[in-house]
Amino acid sequence: MTLNPAGALDIDPLLDDPATRIVVCCGSGGVGKTTTAAALGLRAAERGRKVVVLTIDPARRLAQSMGIDSLDNVPRRVKGVETGGDAAGGELHAMMLDMKRTFDEIVEAHADGERAEAILNNPFYQSLSAGFAGTQEYMAMEKLGQLRARDTWDLIVVDTPPSRSALDFLDAPKRLGSFLDGKLIRILMAPAKVGGRAGMKFLNVGMSMMTGALGKLLGGQLLRDVQTFVAAMDTMFGGFRTRADATYKLLQAPGTAFLVVAAPERDALREAAYFVERLAAERMPLAGLVLNRVHGSGADRLSAERALAAAENLDERRIVDQTPGKEEVRTPPESTPGSDPAPDPASGSPAAAETPADPSTEQLTAGLLRLHAERMRLVAREQRTRDRFTALHPEVAVAEIAALPGDVHDLAGLRDIGDRLAAGGTPAGAE
């Protein structure tokens, strides 16, 4: 494995340190964040820690790999975790964020019964809680804050949402705060603050024109739903901002470690580099980079160029890399008319070297050589991409994980990923 100056990422000391309370796996979509988070959680549990993995991935394969029928907004105990000796007491729990349910829990916890019911039944709230841009990321932050406040687990492993940009997870609290503090919300809050319909008499002409224009733009019923929602939520807005700020500070605390997960591809590593820079700017603790699905070859001494040349020679029915002396074996001595062919010294039979190889064997060999050449080109391309990242960020420790032939579908697969992570990655060719 090629290492940057920072060296290999050392996972076990990070997971074993009791001061490490939160590990956040972040990166762009489709790079293996969820599997990495689950593997880290399993390894930490099997080393004696009480762990909960918070995933945002709705795919059922993660639940199945943990032996659970389904995941929901409540942590579920994972069976089959191998603990004993120094690891006695280790546990693994898993849960999947239910964005709407988390939002409902916040309302229920911070509003009285009548006000909570009004909010939960409000059509605008139902739309907001189910799909407002940034709500999922914000609710992931809320759930993380809830889990940490309960102090039930030694370690919380977070799989960040599969958003367009990995930075959405960090930006969500500020975006929601901007939304709650925005001019539109203040305008909509004004009638409620001065007494509903009666209060409209006290609004100036400009405000009346504004709400009239909004009514035409949004529709009268929607505007009324929004105003009702804002009036009911008014006392809770400050709580949203306060909790968002508290969770943001929690992410900056020494007990938190960020792991950026990426594939050895240009776009994924560009996103990873941007995220590394953002974490540094926000003073958030970065543990390192997990480079997933790295390709290698056990025959890397045979270059792509040589493999292609050999394939072309076979296609032309030539002998590849013929060594001196073989021509004499291939060329039989002259024989007199009517005499038997010269025997092969090794077999006592006519020289087999004159018999051409089976064309199908030559075609198969040439095809394999071309596949090898394609693989070596992929390996070289990934290496160049990694080199560009490490040149920009030599301070980031890296663990490389070899590409696997299939998806992880059970605890054994997650355990294997954890072993590879702890080894600092798999050297090329050891797949």
Side-chain angles (χ1 to χ4, degrees), residues 123-179:
F124 180 75
Y125 166 79
Q126 292 172 355
S127 298
L128 174 70
S129 60
F132 185 76
T135 304
Q136 186 181 49
E137 289 80 5
Y138 178 82
M139 290 305 146
M141 298 278 276
E142 279 276 358
K143 182 56 69 175
L144 172 59
Q146 291 175 11
L147 292 172
R148 184 66 181 86
R150 289 167 63 179
D151 207 27
T152 304
W153 293 276
D154 299 333
L155 179 65
I156 303 168
V157 181
V158 182
D159 163 36
T160 54
S163 52
R164 180 183 58 83
S165 169
L167 300 176
D168 289 348
F169 182 68
L170 293 179
D171 289 333
K174 292 181 179 178
R175 284 209 312 274
L176 185 65
S178 297
F179 169 72

Side-chain angles (χ1 to χ4, degrees), residues 41-176:
L42 177 61
R43 187 168 186 86
E46 294 189 335
R47 296 176 69 85
R49 303 201 68 180
K50 195 171 182 180
V51 186
V52 60
V53 176
L54 169 61
T55 181
I56 321 296
D57 188 353
R60 289 180 54 83
R61 65 179 182 274
L62 179 64
Q64 293 169 347
S65 70
M66 292 184 167
I68 300 174
D69 292 336
S70 63
L71 293 176
D72 54 23
N73 216 41
V74 178
R76 306 289 179 184
R77 178 81 176 267
V78 177
K79 299 178 180 178
V81 176
E82 298 176 358
T83 58
D86 293 339
E91 294 180 11
L92 177 61
H93 296 75
M95 62 183 297
M96 185 181 74
L97 178 72
D98 183 329
M99 179 177 64
K100 187 178 187 312
R101 183 60 203 146
T102 300
F103 211 150
D104 291 349
E105 290 172 355
I106 297 168
V107 172
E108 292 166 353
H110 298 281
D112 58 58
E114 184 177 347
R115 187 182 293 266
E117 184 178 359
I119 295 171
L120 295 176
N121 293 329
N122 183 276
F124 180 75
Y125 166 79
Q126 292 172 355
S127 298
L128 174 70
S129 60
F132 185 76
T135 304
Q136 186 181 49
E137 289 80 5
Y138 178 82
M139 290 305 146
M141 298 278 276
E142 279 276 358
K143 182 56 69 175
L144 172 59
Q146 291 175 11
L147 292 172
R148 184 66 181 86
R150 289 167 63 179
D151 207 27
T152 304
W153 293 276
D154 299 333
L155 179 65
I156 303 168
V157 181
V158 182
D159 163 36
T160 54
S163 52
R164 180 183 58 83
S165 169
L167 300 176
D168 289 348
F169 182 68
L170 293 179
D171 289 333
K174 292 181 179 178
R175 284 209 312 274
L176 185 65

